[in-house]
Amino acid sequence: MIDKLIFGRFMPGESLIHRLDARTKLIAGFYFIGILFLANNWQSYVLLTLFTFLVIALTGISYRFFIKGVKPLIWLILFTVLLQALFTSGGTIFFSWGPFAISSFGLINGVYVFVRFVLIIFMSTVITLTTTPMDLTDAIAYILRPFKILKMPVQDIALMISVALRFIPTLMEETDKIMKAQRARGVDFGEGNLFEQMKVVVPIFIPLFVSSFNRAEDLADAMEARGYQGDKKRTRFRILHWHWCDLVAACVLVALTTALVTLRIS
Amino acid sequence: MDITFEQVGFCYQKNSPFETRALQHVDVAIDSGSYTAIIGHTGSGKSTLLQHLNALLLPTEGTVTLGDRVIKAGEKQKGLRELRKRVGIVFQFPEAQLFEETVEKDICFGPLNFGVPEEEAKARARKVIVEVGLTEEILMRSPFELSGGQMRRVAIAGVLAMDPQVLVLDEPTAGLDPNGRKEIMEMFAALHRTKGLTTVLVTHSMEDAATYAEKVVLMKGGTVEQVSTPRELFSNPDKLTDLGLSVPDVVHFQRHFEQRFAVKFGKTCLTIDELVGEMVPHLGKGVASE
């Protein structure tokens, strides 16, 4: 189950995209999703698709990973596409039955929605595959910094995110271990009716919660023993650096935006 | 229950970009009623091999025969519960699997899953709790208020209550104090003798392998490097040191003693008693006559 999840994994590499600053990647990712909604004709969608595939090619990671990232969400995507295709009216109507109608507008809209979904997933996969969780946390902490003025506990949030990220694989491993131990004691997962399936969750969740409490206690003790005090000002060991390639990335995004706006107006 | 591995291989996450090979060409036979130790360096595939013993993992190549059940690679398996009833596994740090409100309920969990009536399960709980060296009063307490060592014993009791024919132990004494270690290992040895259990022990402790096992399976890089008796294995310690493993202290001592005094004992000693027996003739008269 865990093995199939590609989204959120990191693939070590040396590509141009890997070397980009995490902050650039994060901001660029959100920016890309934003400008995706500027597109309103086929030319702009082609441009965006080409751009996405160029970025994917630059990462040097096999396409298979990206396709796999889309797979778990494919039903959601198809459902949305279907809704769009069936309920949008206008243009030539090919087929209609009651409130449902397949029209040329509907089909085009469906394709647009599909492309939008896939591009968003591809781009976010690019970010998570090429950035270590640590870098990502640092980037989030940096981006949140201005909110300090609004009395937001940015340092604490960053710490919680980094601890959470650090313990995801550990907890996954723990879950796997406990599931195996309970299976050896005669629990069958994924069998029986809904009520029976709910019941077998208890022997996993309780040990998992208990071990999380213990882990949290140990971690807090260890942190305090090493001089951690939440409210004190700290220095940082890991410092992110902007390079020339980040500037290039920013320029490319500006160019892309200009092209999109031009296509939209024309 | 005889257990046979024929050309068994196992890949984690097969056919994915993260595919990793854990076992290849494993041929091992474990006889009914025997005590087998599996040793090897970290990452040599010991734990993977162990999970094949009750079909938690299914081989991706080869055949595993567990009693009358044949598990071939690539075949769909059904009714594995019957198999798991007969093979009890004590995982590493088994105290992590406790979850019920009382110790009794937790011990009964396994048997009840395998269709044992409640009365019978409770009777078993009362029996095994004594076997693991605790008292009956503990049955009514919550497992989470016990000490680490007691939790470990309760978890082991939960596996024993299933009344398995094969007992698989994955480093059962890791993280215990010396006394607890010895008590638990002695308990398993006694169960092995009295109940005629087939016991498979995965361990890093060469002492345990030397003291308790009849056969030692040495693993390296996902394959079986050597199957031998402990005496054969520890008589040739070079192979072990090449693999980054050690020999028991007794064997270590014997080698140094033999070198220092230019003598040769009749056999490689595995226990202190054996060692003393071999040393006495070489010592001064005063000591020998004691």
Side-chain angles (χ1 to χ4, degrees), chain A residues 185-201:
Chain A
R185 295 211 286 167
V187 178
D188 288 319
F189 295 107
E191 275 177 34
N193 59 35
L194 194 66
F195 183 68
E196 281 165 355
Q197 289 205 33
M198 301 263 276
K199 250 174 79 180
V200 299
V201 171

Side-chain angles (χ1 to χ4, degrees), chain B:
Chain B
M1 196 164 116
D2 289 331
I3 297 168
T4 329
F5 281 69
E6 283 168 81
Q7 286 296 307
V8 171
F10 184 79
C11 267
Y12 281 103
Q13 311 189 21
K14 202 169 169 60
N15 300 328
S16 85
F18 299 101
E19 183 174 310
T20 35
R21 177 160 279 284
L23 291 180
Q24 51 192 343
H25 310 305
V26 172
D27 283 299
V28 181
I30 296 168
D31 298 331
S32 194
S34 66
Y35 198 128
T36 308
I38 303 177
I39 59 170
H41 213 261
T42 314
S44 60
K46 301 187 297 283
S47 294
T48 310
L49 184 72
L50 170 144
Q51 289 173 38
H52 281 79
L53 293 171
N54 76 346
L56 278 177
L57 296 178
L58 298 171
T60 49
E61 293 142 37
T63 312
V64 181
T65 315
L66 304 159
D68 47 11
R69 185 77 195 245
V70 180
I71 297 175
K72 272 207 179 74
E75 281 181 10
K76 203 129 181 90
Q77 298 296 331
K78 272 195 181 154
L80 292 171
R81 188 193 274 239
E82 184 51 40
L83 195 67
R84 295 196 179 129
K85 187 173 155 183
R86 294 194 283 160
V87 184
I89 295 195
V90 177
F91 281 92
Q92 256 177 65
F93 301 102
E95 53 271 29
Q97 73 194 31
L98 302 174
F99 72 98
E100 283 281 15
E101 296 143 53
T102 64
V103 169
E104 184 184 40
K105 276 190 181 174
D106 207 282
I107 295 176
C108 292
F109 179 70
L112 290 177
N113 278 331
F114 290 122
V116 173
E118 199 169 333
E119 277 313 304
E120 159 79 13
K122 282 188 175 168
R124 281 191 194 178
R126 281 195 294 278
K127 205 170 120 245
V128 291
I129 200 76
V130 180
E131 278 179 348
V132 296
L134 298 172
T135 52
E136 272 190 40
E137 289 102 66
I138 226 166
L139 284 176
M140 284 307 134
R141 290 174 59 187
S142 157
F144 298 111
E145 57 186 34
L146 305 178
S147 75
Q150 286 173 322
M151 281 170 85
R152 175 85 51 102
R153 283 160 198 260
V154 169
I156 292 171
V159 175
L160 291 177
M162 290 158 32
D163 203 13
Q165 299 165 11
V166 180
L167 189 61
V168 182
L169 311 164
D170 191 357
E171 295 193 47
T173 58
L176 289 186
D177 61 277
N179 258 334
R181 279 184 117 102
K182 186 138 194 288
E183 271 175 43
I184 288 199
M185 286 315 294
E186 286 296 337
M187 179 194 87
F188 286 129
L191 282 170
H192 173 74
R193 278 194 305 272
T194 54
K195 290 194 176 177
L197 288 176
T198 311
T199 310
V200 181
L201 169 73
V202 170
T203 185
H204 274 123
S205 156
M206 296 300 146
E207 266 76 22
D208 288 348
T211 318
Y212 300 104
E214 295 155 7
K215 205 160 74 175
V216 181
V217 177
L218 174 63
M219 295 203 60
K220 177 198 171 190
T223 53
V224 172
E225 181 80 2
Q226 184 185 334
V227 182
S228 52
T229 65
R231 213 180 293 282
E232 280 165 18
L233 179 75
F234 296 124
S235 300
N236 268 319
D238 295 341
K239 190 167 214 164
L240 288 172
T241 27
D242 282 352
L243 292 179
L245 298 169
S246 62
V247 293
D249 287 342
V250 174
V251 178
H252 201 65
F253 179 85
Q254 181 185 345
R255 292 195 78 197
H256 281 266
F257 187 87
E258 285 176 340
Q259 269 172 16
R260 187 69 62 85
F261 294 96
V263 290
K264 188 80 193 151
F265 291 175
K267 60 181 180 194
T268 304
C269 300
L270 298 178
T271 61
I272 292 182
D273 287 342
E274 280 181 10
L275 184 70
V276 171
E278 289 288 332
M279 275 172 69
V280 166
H282 297 285
L283 296 173
K285 285 240 153 49
V287 182
S289 61
E290 194 185 325

Side-chain angles (χ1 to χ4, degrees), chain A residues 159-177:
Chain A
L159 180 80
M160 281 192 283
I161 297 174
S162 66
V163 170
L165 281 173
R166 158 66 188 79
F167 279 102
I168 288 173
T170 316
L171 278 178
M172 290 263 202
E173 229 167 74
E174 183 101 18
T175 315
D176 194 48
K177 220 191 87 179

Side-chain angles (χ1 to χ4, degrees), chain A residues 13-21 25 58-60 244-245 248:
Chain A
E14 276 297 307
S15 75
L16 199 64
I17 306 284
H18 277 92
R19 268 180 283 146
L20 280 180
D21 190 288
K25 277 187 269 191
L58 276 176
T59 61
W244 59 267
C245 46
V248 174

Side-chain angles (χ1 to χ4, degrees), chain A residues 141 145 148 154-156 226-237 239:
Chain A
R145 244 191 229 174
K148 249 188 191 159
V154 174
Q155 249 186 10
D156 296 345
R226 293 166 77 178
Y228 175 82
Q229 284 165 306
D231 45 357
K232 291 278 163 62
K233 182 142 178 62
R234 283 181 290 150
T235 54
R236 30 182 63 245
F237 173 66
I239 294 165

